[in-house]
Amino acid sequence: MRAQSYQAALAIANELCAGGSPFCLLHVHMRRNRQLSVLLGFAAVEQLLEGIEARIGKTLRPNDRVLRTGDSDFLIVLPGLLNTAHGELAAQRITREFEQPVAVGGRLITPLLTIGLCAFPDHGLNADVLLRGAAAAVDQALQAGRRIAIAAPFSDDVLLIDELRDALANNELAVAFQPLVSLRERGVVAVEALARWRSPQRGVIAPQRFVELAEQAGLAPELTRWSINASLREFAQLRELAPSLRCSINLSPKVFTLSGLVEQVSAALAIWGVPAKALVLEVTETAVMEDPEYSAIALNRLSDAGIRIAIDDFGQGYSSFTYLKHFPATELKIDQLFVTPMMRDPRAAQLVRAMVDLAHHLDMVAVAEGVEDALVLEALVAMGCDIAQGYHLGRPVDRATLAAVLR
Ligand code: G
Ligand code: MN
């Protein structure tokens, strides 16, 4: 019977989706079902749930529908409601209605209801997605200790994570290389390896997005392993053209708690015949701050193995100086946030100057990221910055294209 109600709710919602007009969907969950069943008996709780259904019905408009879809669950379809604000009013009417107890077998019971809310089309374009969204909102409300929660905006991250897992397993990601130019010698002294993902179905997915997804899904170790191996494999070919070239690889946050990181990196260097001193591992402060103690140990071991460490995106975040004190970094990469607007923002320029000096006082190499024009480049030279990177000097390109530049 409940399965049928669920199918009925799906059918009603799908029909409304097909109609195209906005509507809201509520998932009402009664808490403590099992507890009440133990205390009062199953028959009494069944009676209570029938009472609840009837009482919910009283708060609704003639075209609204309430359906009992689970042991402690109801779905309510509210046609014509424009957005979640309207849906929330309907949900509040229900919770208010149940501030008064319900009589069950000579006792008065106050049902504790939690309501998840979603709206078409904001949270999904078909009934299946909407019903799941409303159910997820119930979980969110329960976790947050709230009576009503609105579903998160429509997202298919779950599917995208599966696609990323496949892409990693099938080696569908690619490496792009961006040149780093020495401001003294005016030549390419290093390249930064950047992961790129072009999904056959979705097109290019921004690195920020898939790195974040990988972290959420616990795929950071796989992504790091892939990135170190693929980058070094291709870099080994570039090094044949320029033997003193270095390669920077970004280490994804959360990877420091990974056991065997140092061994993995050393093994990859050995396999691709790249000397440790040609490798720069870029780490961000967020990565290091996840677990500062473990990170310090891992970074010191990498550094002892002859690998260089760069602090990436310097200036973003909160605790920059703490790790400058503790971590064995040899390069400071000044975030593009400060570098790109240097010529129109004097404060940004002064901050870049201060960061270049800071790097030098710590015997570190100063690298400016996000150099987008010639004037910024000149200003950096005048400040004594060591290395620059940015669209003005070269965009990230595939290995063959970069090899042509090196030749
Ligand atoms: O966090 P990290 O510094 O590793 O990020 C590097 C990213 O910055 C790459 O995705 C690269 O495409 C991008 N990038 C490189 N040079 C420039 C630039 O000059 N301007 C902008 N806006 N982005 C850049
Ligand atoms: Mn970087």
Side-chain angles (χ1 to χ4, degrees):
M1 182 278 247
R2 272 157 217 168
Q4 275 171 16
S5 303
Y6 183 81
Q7 290 304 326
L10 254 167
I12 296 168
N14 258 331
E15 198 169 311
L16 288 170
C17 289
S21 304
F23 68 95
C24 285
L25 194 76
L26 304 183
H27 184 136
V28 181
H29 172 76
M30 184 191 76
R31 308 201 294 277
R32 306 185 300 176
N33 183 322
R34 209 183 335 268
Q35 223 178 330
L36 290 173
S37 302
V38 170
L39 293 171
L40 307 174
F42 291 99
V45 171
E46 199 48 41
Q47 200 191 331
L48 172 65
L49 284 154
E50 279 162 20
I52 290 174
E53 183 169 353
R55 213 194 269 188
I56 289 175
K58 283 202 297 181
T59 72
L60 302 178
R61 304 161 307 163
N63 287 332
D64 299 340
R65 285 287 302 275
V66 55
L67 295 139
R68 173 97 180 270
T69 51
D71 281 347
S72 329
D73 298 82
F74 306 88
L75 275 170
I76 303 171
V77 187
L78 302 162
L81 291 197
L82 285 182
N83 53 45
T84 48
H86 294 211
E88 215 170 349
L89 290 176
Q92 282 163 358
R93 268 203 310 279
I94 294 171
T95 52
R96 213 172 303 122
E97 183 66 34
F98 287 94
E99 279 162 11
Q100 296 301 320
V102 179
V104 182
R107 284 172 195 271
L108 288 177
I109 302 290
T110 302
L112 302 182
L113 302 183
T114 300
I115 304 180
L117 157 63
C118 71
F120 170 87
D122 308 17
H123 297 101
L125 299 179
N126 66 60
D128 179 54
V129 171
L130 291 169
L131 262 55
R132 282 151 51 199
V138 170
D139 283 339
Q140 283 156 25
L142 288 170
Q143 270 163 27
R146 299 210 320 265
R147 289 200 287 185
I148 301 170
I150 298 169
F154 176 68
S155 148
D156 66 349
D157 282 2
V158 178
L159 301 177
L160 195 53
I161 285 168
D162 280 344
E163 289 168 33
L164 177 59
R165 195 174 282 120
D166 278 351
L168 280 169
N170 302 323
N171 201 20
E172 280 167 21
L173 271 64
V175 184
F177 290 98
Q178 187 176 32
L180 275 76
V181 172
S182 159
L183 296 183
R184 213 155 295 120
E185 296 137 37
R186 295 278 170 154
V188 178
V189 287
V191 288
E192 177 170 357
L194 295 158
R196 293 288 182 260
W197 180 23
R198 180 189 285 277
S199 144
Q201 304 89 7
R202 300 171 192 258
V204 172
I205 292 151
Q208 252 179 337
R209 180 143 159 70
F210 70 76
V211 169
E212 204 172 287
L213 277 180
E215 270 150 26
Q216 271 174 30
L219 289 172
E222 276 85 350
L223 182 60
T224 304
R225 199 171 307 134
W226 174 85
S227 159
I228 289 171
N229 270 295
S231 306
L232 287 178
R233 183 182 61 224
E234 301 210 22
F235 172 68
Q237 288 172 270
L238 288 174
R239 230 173 66 87
E240 289 171 11
L241 302 168
S244 61
L245 199 66
R246 292 191 297 272
C247 180
S248 287
I249 299 177
N250 295 286
L251 273 195
S252 151
K254 302 205 171 138
V255 76
F256 284 110
T257 46
L258 200 75
S259 63
L261 174 70
V262 184
E263 290 72 16
Q264 257 184 57
V265 173
S266 303
L269 286 169
I271 290 171
W272 304 112
V274 174
K277 66 177 184 352
L279 175 61
V280 184
L281 291 177
E282 296 193 1
V283 298
T284 59
E285 125 183 67
T286 9
V288 170
M289 286 304 154
E290 278 287 306
D291 188 344
E293 274 174 48
Y294 197 97
S295 302
I297 296 170
L299 288 178
N300 275 306
R301 289 187 53 204
L302 289 164
S303 166
D304 290 345
I307 295 160
R308 302 161 69 101
I309 307 295
I311 291 176
D312 203 4
D313 304 337
F314 185 74
Q316 268 191 28
Y318 305 99
S319 42
S320 315
F321 291 102
T322 319
Y323 65 78
L324 282 182
K325 184 161 175 281
H326 292 295
F327 299 120
T330 52
E331 290 177 28
L332 195 68
K333 296 194 77 174
I334 302 165
D335 195 85
Q336 53 190 47
L337 185 74
F338 306 98
V339 177
T340 311
M342 258 172 76
M343 298 322 287
R344 49 181 193 277
D345 180 352
R347 278 188 90 81
Q350 290 306 344
L351 283 163
V352 173
R353 183 190 300 281
M355 287 187 262
V356 169
D357 290 344
L358 175 69
H360 291 161
H361 285 307
L362 294 169
D363 290 323
M364 292 170 79
V365 174
V367 183
E369 303 183 293
V371 178
E372 293 187 354
D373 58 70
L375 287 177
V376 167
L377 189 65
E378 270 174 46
L380 288 167
V381 172
M383 286 176 185
C385 183
D386 305 292
I387 291 177
Q389 174 181 5
Y391 293 166
H392 177 64
L393 295 158
R395 292 186 173 255
V397 289
D398 62 23
R399 186 196 69 234
T401 310
L402 196 88
V405 173
L406 290 176
R407 278 196 202 97

XYZ file of all heavy atoms in Angstrom, residues 5 8 30 35 38 74 80 85 102 107 114 123 134 136 138 154 199 241 252 264 282 339 349 365 391 393-394 406:
207
model
N 1.453 4.209 -2.685
C 1.353 5.649 -2.436
C 2.565 6.364 -2.968
O 2.472 7.474 -3.492
C 1.283 5.939 -0.937
O 0.211 5.279 -0.377
N 2.181 6.669 -6.513
C 1.170 7.697 -6.800
C 1.784 9.087 -6.671
O 1.551 9.959 -7.526
C -0.012 7.547 -5.851
N 7.879 11.521 10.722
C 7.601 11.517 12.158
C 8.745 10.829 12.886
O 9.067 9.679 12.608
C 6.291 10.797 12.475
C 5.974 10.900 13.970
S 4.626 9.841 14.519
C 5.419 8.251 14.555
N 10.447 4.036 19.016
C 10.323 4.278 20.454
C 8.860 4.257 20.895
O 8.500 3.600 21.869
C 10.886 5.673 20.711
C 11.769 5.797 21.909
C 12.276 7.249 21.969
O 12.433 7.917 20.939
N 12.522 7.721 23.170
N 7.360 0.754 20.781
C 7.753 -0.039 21.946
C 6.895 0.352 23.150
O 6.403 -0.493 23.886
C 9.261 0.155 22.248
C 9.643 -0.465 23.585
C 10.106 -0.423 21.117
N 5.377 10.886 5.068
C 4.322 11.364 4.174
C 4.938 12.243 3.094
O 5.917 12.934 3.351
C 3.318 12.223 4.943
C 2.733 11.552 6.145
C 3.367 11.642 7.382
C 1.557 10.816 6.048
C 2.826 11.015 8.500
C 1.008 10.191 7.152
C 1.655 10.288 8.385
N 1.198 24.741 -7.761
C 0.982 26.179 -7.880
C 1.799 27.021 -6.917
O 1.762 28.242 -7.001
N 9.834 29.635 -0.551
C 9.306 30.511 0.507
C 7.836 30.170 0.765
O 7.395 30.072 1.912
C 9.453 31.972 0.105
N -1.938 14.767 19.895
C -2.950 13.924 19.268
C -3.352 12.856 20.288
O -2.490 12.300 20.966
C -2.368 13.247 18.006
C -3.397 12.334 17.336
C -1.866 14.299 17.022
N -4.277 8.394 25.556
C -3.127 9.240 25.909
C -3.027 10.392 24.932
O -3.511 10.315 23.818
C -1.822 8.465 25.737
C -1.523 7.492 26.796
C -0.309 6.701 26.327
N -0.154 5.505 27.106
C 0.546 5.458 28.236
N 1.151 6.540 28.674
N 0.620 4.331 28.914
N 9.532 16.271 11.274
C 10.631 16.944 10.580
C 10.248 17.022 9.104
O 9.792 16.025 8.537
C 11.935 16.144 10.731
O 12.239 16.054 12.116
C 13.099 16.821 10.017
N 14.979 22.591 -7.650
C 15.739 21.470 -7.079
C 15.763 20.233 -7.956
O 16.305 19.202 -7.555
C 15.195 21.107 -5.696
C 15.360 22.222 -4.713
N 14.322 23.061 -4.376
C 16.443 22.662 -4.037
C 14.760 23.966 -3.512
N 16.042 23.742 -3.282
N 13.833 16.075 -1.450
C 13.045 16.349 -0.246
C 13.460 15.394 0.877
O 13.549 15.774 2.048
C 11.552 16.218 -0.552
N 16.434 14.044 1.218
C 17.759 14.491 1.679
C 17.607 15.687 2.620
O 18.332 15.807 3.608
C 18.641 14.866 0.491
N 15.167 16.195 4.648
C 14.771 15.683 5.963
C 16.025 15.309 6.762
O 16.175 15.664 7.931
C 13.845 14.449 5.839
C 13.645 13.772 7.187
C 12.498 14.861 5.249
N 19.888 21.731 -6.922
C 20.108 20.534 -7.727
C 21.589 20.348 -8.036
O 22.278 21.255 -8.471
C 19.324 20.642 -9.036
C 19.590 19.496 -9.953
C 19.155 18.230 -9.613
C 20.307 19.668 -11.122
C 19.416 17.153 -10.449
C 20.568 18.602 -11.957
C 20.118 17.343 -11.609
N 35.753 15.723 -20.014
C 34.852 14.577 -19.967
C 34.151 14.446 -21.317
O 33.721 15.445 -21.896
C 33.821 14.778 -18.847
O 32.570 14.264 -19.222
N 65.031 17.879 -23.721
C 65.287 19.108 -24.479
C 65.993 20.163 -23.638
O 66.688 21.025 -24.169
C 63.962 19.691 -24.989
C 63.119 18.792 -25.884
C 61.739 19.392 -26.063
C 63.811 18.606 -27.220
N 47.669 17.718 -3.781
C 46.318 17.990 -3.329
C 46.267 17.989 -1.791
O 46.962 17.222 -1.151
C 45.408 16.904 -3.900
O 44.315 16.693 -3.061
N 56.085 6.887 -2.460
C 55.446 6.957 -3.771
C 56.140 7.941 -4.692
O 56.367 7.663 -5.873
C 54.006 7.437 -3.592
C 52.989 6.346 -3.686
C 51.598 6.957 -3.595
O 51.225 7.823 -4.376
N 50.836 6.501 -2.626
N 54.373 21.598 -4.969
C 53.683 22.804 -4.514
C 52.608 22.422 -3.506
O 51.766 21.567 -3.788
C 53.028 23.516 -5.706
C 54.039 24.015 -6.714
C 53.422 24.986 -7.715
O 52.212 25.290 -7.609
O 54.164 25.434 -8.608
N 49.242 39.745 -7.667
C 50.111 40.056 -8.807
C 49.312 40.650 -9.966
O 49.670 41.708 -10.503
C 50.870 38.793 -9.271
C 51.720 39.092 -10.496
C 51.732 38.234 -8.130
N 50.472 46.086 -5.189
C 51.879 46.169 -5.598
C 52.793 46.162 -4.371
O 53.818 45.473 -4.341
C 52.106 47.424 -6.426
N 63.133 31.411 -3.042
C 62.972 31.971 -4.376
C 61.569 32.586 -4.451
O 60.588 31.934 -4.092
C 63.116 30.840 -5.424
C 62.801 31.360 -6.816
C 64.515 30.234 -5.367
N 49.684 34.142 -17.910
C 49.235 34.088 -19.294
C 50.112 34.930 -20.217
O 50.288 34.602 -21.386
C 47.774 34.536 -19.395
C 46.794 33.595 -18.729
C 45.478 33.984 -18.483
C 47.180 32.295 -18.351
C 44.574 33.124 -17.883
C 46.283 31.434 -17.742
C 44.979 31.856 -17.515
O 44.089 31.006 -16.916
N 53.235 35.206 -20.154
C 54.470 34.472 -20.461
C 54.199 33.123 -21.102
O 55.069 32.540 -21.736
C 55.272 34.271 -19.170
C 55.765 35.582 -18.553
C 56.053 35.417 -17.079
C 56.988 36.073 -19.304
N 53.003 32.632 -20.922
C 52.652 31.338 -21.506
C 51.495 30.700 -20.768
O 51.485 30.648 -19.542
N 60.358 25.206 -26.131
C 61.703 24.979 -25.572
C 62.749 24.862 -26.678
O 63.881 25.285 -26.508
C 61.697 23.713 -24.705
C 60.927 23.796 -23.373
C 60.928 22.448 -22.676
C 61.509 24.866 -22.463
